[in-house]
């Protein structure tokens, strides 16, 4: 049976070739592309970091399922920054030495000012998932952010409030003075209020660790404001809303970006109802990628995704898509780490990304250009335990 | 080796800086004064360096200060010129900042210390915590300190963090030598006698107020200068630096390390600062079971807290006790 | 307006006071500052949440777990507080008693309690995540209004119901504790221990047992306080109680260390000072509160209700 012998040899050769090829591809599979994630997994900002980790991990699973970077999977390397500056630097330093191609993080703007210069110096691209302070992308060419500074969002929320109640004349503003996020946001809100010709009552400050706001509320409530604007985080902001209502305030409330999380629901419960929220992300955005993200998030977490998770997802997505475009031009395996990082940074800034946040591009500085912003209103269920953000603008 | 320094350079210098802060808190404790003011002076020192090197003292364009101040500010602007992009911040200016911060904190310490040091024990501790909290809130509110965002983009004297060793290590050595010597000269023994028995010390002609304020002020000078260095070291400075939490942590360095000898605070600071990072590194060691690696990663602060709590049981006098030296070094003629 | 701000002061202060009660109890008997009190306070809030049969979130080891049964709020509060008290006894057994036996410096005990606090907070996060939780609305007093107006419609003096509950419970705890310490045999023995532990044990008082009791009471009161504050502001995460550590310390020192009525008076006073800060200076509020504290300390170093320091000769 000469024929079958030849056939046998052919099969043998093909199998060997396939095995070698398979081995090559498995070798590739075994070396996933490492992306660092340095956010606050402990300390009192862990609430934010926890949401960011979830978003990033959903992105990891999601993109790997879709073939990663041209067939090569990505792998997240998590390092906890805790809540302080030194922790952020240690986490960044560990990731830089671990040869990650880029870093998503850190959680707080103050930490970014501390740790980002190290990444800049090492030539590692950084995407900030939640740093909104002025001056973050300006730290250096390797620093960009997917978290829009609130300047664009705030006026929309005020406009939405005026749509609901055109008779608003007097506005009370509260903000958490020890939070960088709230401090930058409130500036924009105050400018908007003044620009609209509304009366601004003496601005009231609090600390994110405060639990009682009755004194500040009493300072403004007798002047009968028709609109209250709050810039803070979930726990303090939620309690402020609750206490405003319980002390008899009936007008409209605008909550800043920090309240854009379902973590406010347990705090103010039924009294959350009606808060207008300026959002950089809406889970109702009707795009393919967002539907997929919301589905994955809801499957794991049983609720709709918050902005912090969406931004972390978008950050990883930007890394993956930029890596893919880079790989298409110059195969990644021909590059060493330093080259990959430098080229990746260039590709990040020149790309256009359809993320759950909407379409994103970057300026040359690394500032985000986000196409869509949202204004939503909180609608609580009758039991006061669950709620949702209803998109109004 | 290079990799090691790249990864742990920042941590190593952090250890040194924290050790300096621990010694700053140890000084008043030598005189029996539980002062937790160190982070307050540390914060002020950092702001001094940040304000001078980033030049936030300059008036916004178009505005001017009233006259003597305006000239002073403009003069200051020539002493601390803008650091051009990509150039190193002169080390000499960094030393000047540390000096200014030290002197300023020293003066402030005398003003705060004279009334406050009449208090004892936990009351003094609380008064000094009040000071720390006041510094924090004021710096959140002043425009010159940048509010909650703080001051960022602080120019760098060295290209890498590890090279801060050129200043930090001599600084620690000088402070440690100073405290070591202090424990062996008359003033130092006066401080220790105040700790052991204030009434007896006063009866022997030791001026309690003078010596207490002296120890407090020396601690403040060290903390202020350390803050100035730290501001450059961590690139940014804000109201989150030097808070009540830091007070307690630095106290833990001193107590865990041993509060009876100069080496104790240093060892305590090294251990407690390094521990969370060592635990972070331990999670990446090859060959340990996955669940353990995961726990080391997620639960490292649990381990950290438990180690602090239980180490107090095994070392009730702190890790380093004076007896440790005596056993080795023979008699020192004390007691 | 002034009346309202005074009422606000009571409201703010009531939280400080109820936090400080358990804190000062340990200090009064043992002379140690127990930083772990804030963590036990937090645990109390989480225990009650668990005992009500409510479900945890999606993070941490206990994600989505819940008990197969659910107790009503007030029962859960009491059981939770008992567990918190037992937890206090547990900590006493593993850390504080061995430290006492070794004659450790009070500062060392303080550092040990700090270590415990760090560990407990992170254990909570490890188990149930950092997210916010809350008791169902109306859990405490179903159908009660959210706030009560003690003034008129024109000049309202409004206090929120949750805070009225806290004030009432704080006063109740104060009365019970004062009665217990001053009028019962055990209480008198406790006072003897706080005066001089060695002599009282020579007199046949079982010191260890009494100290265990103190830790139980402190943990119990802390657990009640944690749940009520959780009811008021939500369980805002594992740091719920720790964030009161600084103010709590200020309260017990201002009130006079170890004075149980002092903790309540000190808490309410700091609350009133904070509430009376003028609107335009509100951003300096904490600094003003601490500045006043600083001055009070200089004028009256033993605190408001504390006994003067006895100079040893």
């Amino acid at each position: 049976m000469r024929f079958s012998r030849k056939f046998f040899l052919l099969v043998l050769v093909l199998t060997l070739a396939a095995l070698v090829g398979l081995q090559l591809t498995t070798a590739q599979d075994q070396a996933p592309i490492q992306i660092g994630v340095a956010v606050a997994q402990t300390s009192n900002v862990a609430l934010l970091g926890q949401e960011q980790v979830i978003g990033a991990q959903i992105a990891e699973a999601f993109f790997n399922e879709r073939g990663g970077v041209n067939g090569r999977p990505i792998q997240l390397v998590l390092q906890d920054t805790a809540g302080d500056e030194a922790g952020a630097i240690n986490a960044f330093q560990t990731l830089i030495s671990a040869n990650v191609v880029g870093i998503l993080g850190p959680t707080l703007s103050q930490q970014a000012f501390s740790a980002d210069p190290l990444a800049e110096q090492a030539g590692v691209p950084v995407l900030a998932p939640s740093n909104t302070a002025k001056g973050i992308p300006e730290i250096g060419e390797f620093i960009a952010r997917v978290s829009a500074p609130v300047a664009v969002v705030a006026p929309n929320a005020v406009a939405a409030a005026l749509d609901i109640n055109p008779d608003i004349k007097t506005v009370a503003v509260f903000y958490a003075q020890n939070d960088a996020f709230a401090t930058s946001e409130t500036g924009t809100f105050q400018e908007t209020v003044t620009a609209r010709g509304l009366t601004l009552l003496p601005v009231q400050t609090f600390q994110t660790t405060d639990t009682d706001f009755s004194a500040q509320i009493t300072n403004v409530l007798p002047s009968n404001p028709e609109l209250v604007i709050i810039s803070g985080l979930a726990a303090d902001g939620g309690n402020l809303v609750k206490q405003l209502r319980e002390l008899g305030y009936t007008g409209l409330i605008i909550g800043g970006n920090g309240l854009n999380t379902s973590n406010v629901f347990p705090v103010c419960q039924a009294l959350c109802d009606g808060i207008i929220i300026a959002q950089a992300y809406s889970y109702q955005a009707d795009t393919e990628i967002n539907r997929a993200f919301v589905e994955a998030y809801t499957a794991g977490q049983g609720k709709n995704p918050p902005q912090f998770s969406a931004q972390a997802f978008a950050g990883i997505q930007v890394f993956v898509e930029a890596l893919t475009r880079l790989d298409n031009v110059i195969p990644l395996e021909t590059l060493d780490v330093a080259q990959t990082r430098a080229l990746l940074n260039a590709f990040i800034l020149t790309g256009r990304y359809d993320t759950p946040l909407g379409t994103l591009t970057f300026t040359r500085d690394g500032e985000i250009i986000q196409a869509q912003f949202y204004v939503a209103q909180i609608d609580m269920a009758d039991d006061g335990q669950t709620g949702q953000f209803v998109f109004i603008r | 080796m290079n990799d090691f320094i790249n990864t742990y350079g920042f941590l190593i210098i952090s250890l040194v800086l924290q050790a300096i802060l621990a010694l700053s808190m140890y000084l008043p404790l030598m005189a029996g004064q539980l002062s937790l003011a160190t982070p307050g002076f540390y914060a002020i020192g950092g702001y001094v360096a940040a304000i001078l090197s980033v030049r936030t003292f300059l008036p916004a364009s178009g505005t001017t200060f009233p006259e003597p101040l305006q000239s002073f500010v403009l003069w200051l602007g020539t002493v601390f010129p803008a650091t051009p992009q990509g150039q190193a911040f002169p080390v000499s200016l960094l030393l000047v900042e540390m000096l200014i911060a030290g002197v300023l904190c020293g003066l402030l310490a005398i003003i705060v210390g004279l009334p406050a040091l009449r208090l004892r024990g936990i009351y003094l501790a609380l008064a000094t915590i009040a000071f720390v909290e006041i510094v924090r809130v004021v710096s959140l509110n002043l425009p010159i300190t940048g509010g909650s965002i703080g001051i960022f983009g602080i120019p760098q004297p060295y290209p890498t963090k590890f090279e801060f060793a050129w200043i930090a290590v001599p600084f620690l050595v000088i402070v440690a030598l100073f405290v070591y010597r202090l424990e062996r000269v008359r003033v130092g023994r006066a401080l220790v006698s105040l700790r052991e028995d204030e009434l007896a010390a006063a009866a022997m002609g030791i001026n309690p107020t003078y010596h207490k304020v002296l120890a407090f002020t020396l601690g403040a000078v060290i903390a202020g200068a350390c803050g100035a260095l730290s501001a450059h070291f961590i690139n940014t400075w804000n109201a989150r630096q030097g808070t009540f939490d830091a007070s307690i942590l630095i106290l833990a360095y001193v107590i865990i390390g041993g509060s009876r000898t100069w080496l104790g605070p240093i060892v305590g600071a090294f251990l407690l600062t390094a521990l969370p990072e060592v635990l972070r590194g331990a999670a990446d060691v090859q060959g340990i079971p996955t669940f353990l690696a995961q726990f080391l990663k997620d639960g490292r602060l649990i381990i950290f807290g438990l180690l602090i709590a239980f180490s107090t049981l095994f070392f009730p006098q702190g890790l380093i006790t004076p007896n440790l030296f005596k056993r080795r070094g023979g008699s020192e003629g004390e007691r | 307006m002034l009346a309202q701000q005074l009422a606000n002061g009571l409201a703010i202060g009531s939280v400080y006071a109820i936090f400080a009660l358990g804190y000062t109890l340990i200090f009064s008997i043992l002379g140690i500052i127990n930083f772990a009190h804030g963590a036990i306070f937090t645990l109390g809030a989480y225990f009650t949440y668990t005992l009500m049969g409510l479900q945890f979130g999606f993070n941490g080891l206990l994600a989505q777990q819940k008990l197969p049964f659910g107790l009503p709020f007030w029962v859960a509060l009491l059981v939770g507080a008992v567990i918190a008290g037992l937890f206090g006894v547990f900590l006493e057994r593993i850390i504080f008693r061995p430290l006492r036996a070794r004659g450790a410096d009070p500062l060392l005990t303080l550092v040990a309690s700090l270590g415990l606090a760090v560990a407990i907070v992170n254990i909570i996060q490890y188990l149930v995540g950092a997210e916010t939780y809350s008791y169902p609305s109306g859990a405490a007093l179903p159908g009660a209004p959210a706030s009560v107006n003690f003034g008129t419609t024109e000049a309202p003096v409004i206090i929120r119901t949750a805070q009225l509950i806290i004030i009432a419970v704080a006063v109740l705890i104060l009365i019970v504790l004062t009665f217990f310490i001053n009028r019962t045999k055990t209480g008198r023995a406790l006072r003897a221990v706080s005066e001089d532990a060695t002599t009282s044990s020579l007199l046949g008082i079982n010191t260890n047992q009494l100290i265990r009791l103190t830790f139980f009471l402190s943990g119990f009161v802390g657990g009640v306080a944690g749940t009520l504050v959780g009811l008021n502001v939500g369980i805002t995460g594992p740091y719920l109680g720790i964030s009161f550590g600084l103010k709590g310390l200020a309260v017990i020192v201002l009130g006079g260390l170890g004075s149980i009525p002092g903790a309540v008076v000190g808490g309410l006073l700091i609350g009133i000072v904070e509430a009376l800060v003028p609107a335009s200076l509100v951003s300096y509020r904490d600094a003003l509160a601490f500045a006043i504290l600083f001055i009070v300390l200089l004028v009256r170093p033993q605190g408001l209700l504390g006994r003067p320091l006895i100079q040893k000769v």
Side-chain angles (χ1 to χ4, degrees), chain A residues 79-80 83 85 97 114 121 183, chain B residues 7 148 159 235 240-241 280:
Chain A
Q79 285 296 347
D80 173 26
E85 284 72 7
S97 303
S114 183
Q121 204 174 25
T183 315
Chain B
T7 312
S148 63
N235 299 315
R240 289 147 34 88
Q241 311 305 318
R280 186 203 292 276

Side-chain angles (χ1 to χ4, degrees), chain A residues 44 209-211, chain B residues 36 122 125-126 129-130 133 244-245 248, chain C residues 15-21 23-24 33-42 110 113-114 117 121 229 238-254 257 270 290 293:
Chain A
N44 54 359
T209 49
D210 282 352
T211 52
Chain B
L36 299 178
I122 193 73
L126 191 71
I129 289 171
E133 188 65 8
F244 172 62
D245 295 349
I248 301 303
Chain C
V15 175
Y16 299 157
I18 205 166
F19 177 85
L21 271 172
Y23 208 1
T24 205
I33 301 276
N34 179 15
F35 273 118
H37 183 68
I40 294 180
F41 173 97
T42 315
L110 183 151
S113 73
L114 171 77
V121 164
V229 171
Y239 284 81
L240 174 68
I242 298 294
S243 57
F244 291 104
L246 176 60
K247 285 276 167 62
L249 191 62
V251 165
I252 59 174
V253 176
L254 179 71
L257 275 177
I270 290 191
F290 275 96
L293 182 74

Side-chain angles (χ1 to χ4, degrees), chain A residues 337-358:
Chain A
V337 179
Q339 291 166 329
T340 312
R341 287 168 169 175
L343 288 168
L344 172 60
N345 191 53
F347 275 81
I348 286 175
L349 295 184
T350 51
R352 185 186 159 83
Y353 310 89
D354 287 316
T355 71
L357 305 173

Side-chain angles (χ1 to χ4, degrees), chain B residues 156-168:
Chain B
Q156 295 299 301
Y158 298 108
T160 68
K161 291 296 169 197
F162 186 64
E163 283 170 80
F164 274 82
W166 290 116
I167 297 182

Side-chain angles (χ1 to χ4, degrees), chain A residues 141-221:
Chain A
E141 28 179 325
F142 283 88
I143 316 299
R145 61 174 156 201
V146 291
S147 46
V150 275
V152 207
V153 199
N156 286 345
V158 176
L162 283 167
D163 280 352
I164 298 172
N165 178 8
D167 298 330
I168 292 173
K169 300 259 168 348
T170 319
V171 182
V173 171
F174 294 75
Y175 76 97
Q177 65 170 159
N178 62 341
D179 183 64
F181 197 80
T183 315
S184 20
E185 187 183 71
T186 195
T188 323
F189 271 125
Q190 289 175 29
E191 280 164 27
T192 313
V193 167
T194 333
R196 289 245 173 192
L198 306 171
T199 314
L200 185 63
L201 294 173
V203 173
Q204 298 296 306
T205 62
F206 55 91
Q207 313 267 324
T208 48
T209 49
D210 282 352
T211 52
D212 192 295
F213 309 91
S214 49
Q216 288 96 327
I217 293 171
T218 306
N219 285 338
V220 292
L221 218 50

Side-chain angles (χ1 to χ4, degrees), chain C residues 196-284:
Chain C
D196 188 337
T198 325
T199 315
S200 44
S201 65
L202 286 176
L203 290 171
I205 296 174
N206 187 341
T207 320
N208 274 340
Q209 201 176 351
L210 285 174
I211 290 175
R212 208 176 304 141
L213 177 70
T214 310
F215 270 90
F216 176 79
L217 285 177
S218 167
F220 180 84
V221 171
V224 171
T227 303
L228 290 180
V229 171
L231 180 72
N232 181 14
V233 302
I235 306 172
T236 52
Y239 284 81
L240 174 68
I242 298 294
S243 57
F244 291 104
L246 176 60
K247 285 276 167 62
L249 191 62
V251 165
I252 59 174
V253 176
L254 179 71
L257 275 177
S259 159
I260 290 166
V264 173
V265 173
L268 296 183
L269 258 176
I270 290 191
I272 289 171
V273 166
E274 287 187 10
L276 291 183
V277 169
S280 53
L281 286 180
V282 78
S283 59
Y284 282 96

Side-chain angles (χ1 to χ4, degrees), chain A residues 1-206:
Chain A
M1 296 272 279
R2 283 185 328 218
F3 200 73
S4 65
R5 238 172 111 184
K6 237 183 203 168
F7 181 75
F8 176 76
L9 268 174
L10 187 72
V11 168
L12 194 74
V13 169
L14 279 178
T15 317
L16 275 176
L19 270 177
V20 171
L22 199 67
Q23 216 151 29
L24 279 178
T25 44
T26 38
Q28 264 182 14
D29 282 349
Q30 276 161 356
I33 304 172
Q34 295 196 315
I35 299 173
V37 176
V39 294
Q41 292 172 267
T42 57
S43 87
N44 54 359
V45 274
L47 183 59
L48 307 181
Q50 185 174 289
E51 292 183 346
Q52 293 172 323
V53 169
I54 297 168
Q57 282 173 337
I58 290 176
E60 180 187 30
F62 179 83
F63 290 107
N64 279 343
E65 201 173 294
R66 297 191 166 193
V69 176
N70 292 332
R72 198 170 150 191
I74 60 157
Q75 183 190 21
L76 299 187
V77 185
L78 296 176
Q79 285 296 347
D80 173 26
T81 63
D84 62 339
E85 284 72 7
I89 291 186
N90 280 324
F92 266 55
Q93 201 64 267
T94 309
L95 290 173
I96 293 168
S97 303
N99 288 332
V100 298
V101 294
I103 299 175
L104 182 79
T107 303
L108 299 177
S109 293
Q110 294 104 322
Q111 293 180 305
F113 287 128
S114 183
D116 284 357
L118 273 79
E120 170 69 18
Q121 204 174 25
V124 182
V126 171
L127 281 174
S130 57
N131 309 151
T132 53
K134 206 186 268 182
I136 297 281
E138 289 79 6
I139 293 173
E141 28 179 325
F142 283 88
I143 316 299
R145 61 174 156 201
V146 291
S147 46
V150 275
V152 207
V153 199
N156 286 345
V158 176
L162 283 167
D163 280 352
I164 298 172
N165 178 8
D167 298 330
I168 292 173
K169 300 259 168 348
T170 319
V171 182
V173 171
F174 294 75
Y175 76 97
Q177 65 170 159
N178 62 341
D179 183 64
F181 197 80
T183 315
S184 20
E185 187 183 71
T186 195
T188 323
F189 271 125
Q190 289 175 29
E191 280 164 27
T192 313
V193 167
T194 333
R196 289 245 173 192
L198 306 171
T199 314
L200 185 63
L201 294 173
V203 173
Q204 298 296 306
T205 62
F206 55 91

Side-chain angles (χ1 to χ4, degrees), chain A residues 234-272:
Chain A
D236 45 326
N239 270 313
L240 179 48
V241 169
K242 176 177 172 181
Q243 294 174 21
L244 271 166
R245 293 297 188 210
E246 293 189 342
L247 291 173
Y249 175 68
T250 51
L252 287 171
I253 297 178
I254 292 178
N257 234 320
L259 278 74
N260 185 16
T261 156
S262 53
N263 274 306
V264 299
F265 298 160
V267 182
C268 46
Q269 299 182 325
L271 300 174
C272 300

